[in-house]
């Protein structure tokens, strides 16, 4: 009768894998043991099938403890949600002593199904109901020699299906070649070297000249800065960090999505992040960070479409990296969080538009397209109206322009009026006024403004640099050196800051 149980075991295993789309985690054909997995209603179900005669209760209990132990050892494979374990036994007879209590409520939460000759049909139906599966009829009225002939076929079908799905999973990461990633790396590096050759990538004037995101110029019609700022970086460290991220993320995303989809996602995310920065951040900004965060969004979209594979490969590691980057942006004032979060959202929406290779979802893609256009339009509107930046946002930009034009009296007048109710832009207004005071020769007033600036915004390197120069003129070398050191520490790539630090340190 052994052949009947073996036939039932492989017939059941074959149905779960081939027809019910369970995935093989582990199989040992000779030992007649197979581990399967399937996501169902937000839960990862792990099914262990075993064909073995369990003669005694303790033998069954020890085997269940082994199943629980093996699952705990491999728990990391199932990160990303709730896990439910099912232990299925196929045997000719049940244990001879009392054993039914092992099927009841268990502290480990495992569901146990013992299918012996007298209850195979009812236990199989009980298991299938958990997944809302129609219970197939396992034909056991056929002759034993036919069963023997069918079993190798069932095994081969199981192996073939497993290999097919494994190749399909591997092919998801090999759809494209990283041509555009390499091209973008080269362009960013060459453009950085060119700007450095022409000027200084840490200089505000140079950044504005070569296309940084600068809201006053954008408001005057230079919207192309949203794109050009994606290729401009502020210093070597900024470039290296972004290019390292682009290399690893770009390689992964372009291999998954292909060059065309990758290019669309990258630039749509970069534009979305740039517009978000325009809406939320009044400061000059540059860098590929928005587009790079869009690649995070593309991988998250992949995770939603292939949850099991996502958490088996990158999963929580990716989510933790995103979380660290967001937290870093909150802690460090210089980071453009608008561009980062905007790029992340923009990349996710852009990926919803392009979708995965060889996959379509017309409703989702249409909804994502409308969402992208609508959100971009709203961010442009809010940015132009200064809704998220407060009433003094325009005055900060206006006085920056007036300082460039040499209208220092107007700067002092406008900033003084604005400082009666500065809101979140007190440091920027004071800094602009201090610059005007310096140009007008009123260094005492400039000194007072700059001291306030460093109290409000201690990470503003330019304020420390200007203070160092003013204290140097007054002969207070101790304070001058302290501020010069702070400025150089905040922006180690700035040659002027380093030069002054070295000069005062002698």
């Amino acid at each position: 009768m052994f052949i009947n149980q073996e036939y039932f075991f492989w017939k059941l295993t074959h149905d779960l894998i081939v027809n019910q789309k369970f995935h093989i985690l582990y199989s040992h054909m000779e030992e007649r043991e197979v581990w399967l997995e399937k996501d169902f209603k937000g839960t990862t179900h792990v099914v262990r099938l075993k064909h073995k005669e369990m003669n005694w209760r303790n033998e069954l209990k020890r085997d269940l403890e082994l199943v629980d132990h093996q699952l705990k050892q491999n728990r990391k494979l199932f990160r990303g949600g709730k896990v439910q374990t099912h232990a299925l036994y196929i045997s000719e007879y049940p244990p001879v002593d009392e054993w039914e209590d092992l099927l009841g409520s268990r502290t480990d939460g495992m569901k146990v199904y013992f299918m012996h000759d007298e209850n195979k049909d009812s236990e199989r139906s009980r298991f299938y109901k958990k997944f809302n599966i129609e219970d197939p009829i396992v034909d056991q009225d056929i002759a034993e020699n036919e069963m023997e002939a069918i079993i190798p076929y069932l095994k081969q079908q199981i192996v073939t299906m497993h290999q097919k799905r494994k190749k399909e999973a591997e092919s998801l990461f090999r759809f494209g070649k990283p041509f555009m990633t390499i091209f973008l790396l080269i362009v960013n590096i060459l453009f950085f070297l060119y700007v450095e050759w022409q000027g200084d990538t840490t200089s505000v004037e140079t950044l504005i000249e070569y296309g940084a995101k600068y809201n006053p110029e954008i408001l005057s019609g230079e919207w192309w800065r949203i794109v050009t700022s994606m290729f401009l970086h502020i210093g070597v460290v900024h470039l290296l960090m972004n290019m390292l991220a682009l290399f690893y993320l770009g390689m992964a995303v372009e291999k998954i999505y292909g060059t065309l989809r990758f290019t669309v996602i990258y630039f749509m995310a970069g534009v979305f992040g740039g517009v978000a920065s325009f809406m939320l951040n009044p400061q000059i900004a540059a860098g590929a960070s928005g587009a790079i965060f869009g690649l995070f969004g593309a991988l998250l979209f992949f995770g939603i479409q292939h949850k099991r594979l996502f958490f088996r490969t990158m999963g929580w590691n990716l989510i933790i990296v995103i979380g660290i980057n967001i937290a870093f942006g909150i802690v460090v004032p210089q980071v453009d969080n608008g561009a980062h979060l905007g790029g992340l959202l923009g990349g996710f929406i852009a990926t919803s538009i392009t979708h995965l290779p060889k996959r379509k979802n017309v409703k989702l893609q249409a909804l994502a397209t409308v969402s992208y256009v609508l959100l971009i339009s709203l961010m442009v509107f809010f940015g132009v109206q200064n809704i998220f930046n407060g009433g003094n946002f325009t005055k900060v930009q206006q006085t920056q322009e007036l300082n460039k034009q040499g209208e220092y009296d107007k700067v002092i007048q406008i900033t003084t009026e604005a400082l009666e109710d500065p809101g979140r832009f007190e440091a920027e207004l004071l800094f602009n006024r201090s610059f005007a005071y310096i140009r007008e020769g009123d260094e005492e007033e400039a000194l007072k403004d700059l001291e306030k600036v460093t109290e409000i915004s201690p990470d503003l390197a330019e304020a420390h640099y200007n203070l160092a120069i003013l204290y140097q003129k007054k002969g207070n070398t101790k304070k001058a050196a302290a501020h010069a050191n702070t400025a150089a520490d905040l922006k180690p790539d700035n040659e002027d800051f380093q030069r002054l630090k070295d000069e005062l340190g002698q």
Side-chain angles (χ1 to χ4, degrees):
M1 295 294 288
F2 178 84
I3 193 67
N4 290 321
Q5 288 79 46
E6 185 174 12
Y7 175 76
F8 183 89
F9 173 81
W10 289 114
K11 190 75 173 177
L12 177 60
T13 304
H14 177 272
D15 180 65
L16 292 176
I17 295 169
V18 177
N19 300 322
Q20 312 307 334
K21 311 301 181 187
F22 280 75
H23 295 271
I24 295 178
L25 289 172
Y26 167 81
S27 65
H28 197 310
M29 296 293 188
E30 289 74 21
E31 293 292 329
R32 295 177 295 281
E33 178 179 359
V34 180
W35 288 70
L36 306 177
E37 175 192 20
K38 183 176 183 177
D39 291 330
F40 181 69
K41 292 186 176 181
T43 299
T44 299
H45 292 267
V46 179
V47 180
R48 189 260 201 166
L49 297 100
K50 180 70 176 175
H51 174 209
K52 183 181 180 181
E53 293 299 322
M54 296 289 182
N55 298 312
W56 302 97
R57 180 185 188 279
N58 283 340
E59 188 179 357
L60 176 59
K61 183 180 179 182
R62 284 196 301 271
D63 193 77
L64 287 171
E65 289 171 351
L66 177 64
V67 171
D68 185 55
H69 177 71
Q70 289 177 331
L71 186 67
K72 287 177 180 177
Q73 278 191 320
N74 295 280
R75 189 76 181 185
K76 63 181 180 180
L77 293 175
F78 312 108
R79 293 180 297 178
K82 183 180 176 183
V83 178
Q84 174 67 64
T85 313
H86 306 263
L88 277 65
Y89 292 93
I90 289 87
S91 176
E92 184 176 359
Y93 301 106
V96 296
D97 51 353
E98 295 295 329
W99 61 275
E100 285 84 355
D101 62 303
L102 297 176
L103 276 67
S105 299
R106 299 178 53 84
T107 56
D108 55 20
M110 189 188 305
K111 304 290 183 183
V112 182
Y113 308 82
F114 199 98
M115 302 177 186
H116 54 84
D117 282 357
E118 295 180 6
N119 75 342
K120 280 187 175 70
D121 293 337
S122 61
E123 279 293 271
R124 185 183 65 240
S125 296
R126 184 167 74 91
F127 171 73
Y128 272 56
K129 283 179 182 178
K130 293 286 183 182
F131 300 93
N132 296 331
I133 299 173
E134 185 178 345
D135 187 10
I137 297 174
V138 179
D139 186 5
Q140 290 194 282
D141 294 331
I142 62 176
E144 289 189 6
N145 61 339
E146 289 184 60
M147 290 184 183
E148 260 187 294
I150 293 172
I151 287 173
Y153 169 78
L154 295 175
K155 289 182 178 181
Q156 183 59 44
Q157 284 283 299
I158 290 169
V159 172
T160 300
M161 182 58 71
H162 178 52
Q163 291 174 344
K164 179 183 176 183
R165 289 178 182 164
K166 187 177 180 181
K167 288 180 180 178
E168 287 174 353
E170 291 173 352
S171 69
L172 291 173
F173 298 96
R174 297 200 305 263
F175 178 77
K177 302 290 184 181
F179 298 127
M180 181 55 68
T181 299
I182 295 170
F183 176 75
L184 288 169
L185 287 166
I186 293 171
V187 170
N188 275 280
I189 293 169
L190 288 178
F191 190 49
F192 176 82
L193 294 174
Y194 175 75
V195 175
E196 274 290 321
W197 179 49
Q198 294 294 320
D200 179 5
T201 54
T202 62
S203 165
V204 171
E205 290 77 11
T206 303
L207 291 171
I208 293 172
E209 181 183 353
Y210 285 94
K213 190 226 74 176
Y214 183 48
N215 287 11
E217 297 294 353
I218 292 174
L219 288 169
S220 68
E222 295 183 358
W223 290 95
W224 48 264
R225 289 179 176 273
I226 298 294
V227 176
T228 56
S229 63
M230 294 165 56
F231 296 92
L232 192 62
H233 289 85
I234 307 171
V236 175
V237 174
H238 188 209
L239 174 75
L240 291 177
M241 289 179 65
N242 273 353
M243 292 306 97
L244 188 64
L246 175 58
F247 176 79
Y248 285 107
L249 288 171
M251 290 284 182
V253 173
E254 193 168 359
K255 286 179 180 178
I256 292 172
Y257 289 93
T259 298
L260 179 59
R261 285 180 176 82
F262 169 83
T263 304
V264 172
I265 293 166
Y266 184 87
F267 281 97
M268 287 184 72
V271 169
F272 200 96
V275 175
S277 175
F278 166 72
M279 177 182 70
L280 298 170
N281 179 22
Q283 305 296 331
I284 293 170
S289 302
I292 290 169
F293 264 77
L295 303 182
F296 280 125
L299 293 176
L300 289 177
F301 181 86
F302 175 84
I304 291 175
Q305 300 298 316
H306 295 282
K307 180 183 175 183
R308 184 184 65 86
L309 190 59
F310 176 72
F311 282 103
R312 195 63 46 79
T313 53
M314 58 192 89
W316 283 112
N317 292 332
L318 179 70
I319 294 171
I320 290 170
V321 169
I322 294 173
I324 291 172
N325 275 275
I326 292 172
F328 180 76
I330 293 171
V331 173
V332 180
Q334 293 96 333
V335 174
D336 190 348
N337 289 303
H340 288 186
L341 296 177
L344 180 66
L345 177 60
F348 186 86
I349 296 173
T351 312
S352 302
I353 295 171
T354 63
H355 216 288
L356 288 162
K358 302 177 183 179
R359 295 276 295 274
K360 285 185 179 181
N361 186 328
V362 176
K363 289 183 179 180
L364 173 64
Q365 289 171 283
L367 178 62
T369 303
V370 172
S371 300
Y372 186 90
V373 173
L374 179 62
L375 289 172
I376 283 280
S377 301
L378 288 173
M379 288 191 296
V380 169
F381 173 78
F382 291 145
V384 171
Q385 298 298 319
N386 306 324
I387 289 174
F388 288 100
N389 289 297
N392 286 324
F393 170 61
T394 304
K395 291 181 180 179
V396 171
Q397 296 178 320
Q398 182 185 8
T399 51
Q400 286 174 345
E401 284 296 307
L402 289 171
N403 270 333
K404 287 171 62 178
Q405 297 166 12
E407 301 284 346
Y408 306 121
D409 289 337
K410 287 185 179 180
V411 172
I412 294 169
Q413 179 186 349
I414 293 170
T415 51
T416 301
E417 291 173 358
L419 282 165
E420 293 177 4
D421 185 18
R424 53 180 282 207
F425 295 107
E426 184 176 6
E428 289 84 354
L429 291 166
L430 285 167
F431 183 80
N432 289 351
R433 189 171 71 173
S434 72
F435 184 84
Y437 277 138
I438 291 172
R439 293 298 185 181
E440 289 285 282
D442 195 345
E443 294 182 354
E444 288 298 327
E445 291 299 324
L447 204 62
K448 292 178 185 177
D449 280 353
L450 288 170
E451 288 288 2
K452 288 182 182 178
V453 171
T454 55
E455 290 176 11
I456 300 166
S457 184
D459 295 323
L460 188 58
E462 288 77 7
H464 289 284
Y465 177 74
N466 289 349
L467 274 172
I469 293 174
L470 291 176
Y471 277 121
Q472 185 184 33
K473 286 185 178 180
K474 290 173 67 69
N476 192 336
T477 54
K478 184 177 180 181
K479 281 191 174 183
H483 284 291
N485 289 338
T486 302
D489 291 342
L490 289 170
K491 288 193 175 180
D493 292 330
N494 190 297
E495 294 180 1
D496 291 335
F497 294 0
Q498 290 293 339
R499 191 180 303 113
L500 183 61
K501 175 185 176 180
D502 295 339
E503 179 184 331
L504 290 169
Q506 293 176 353

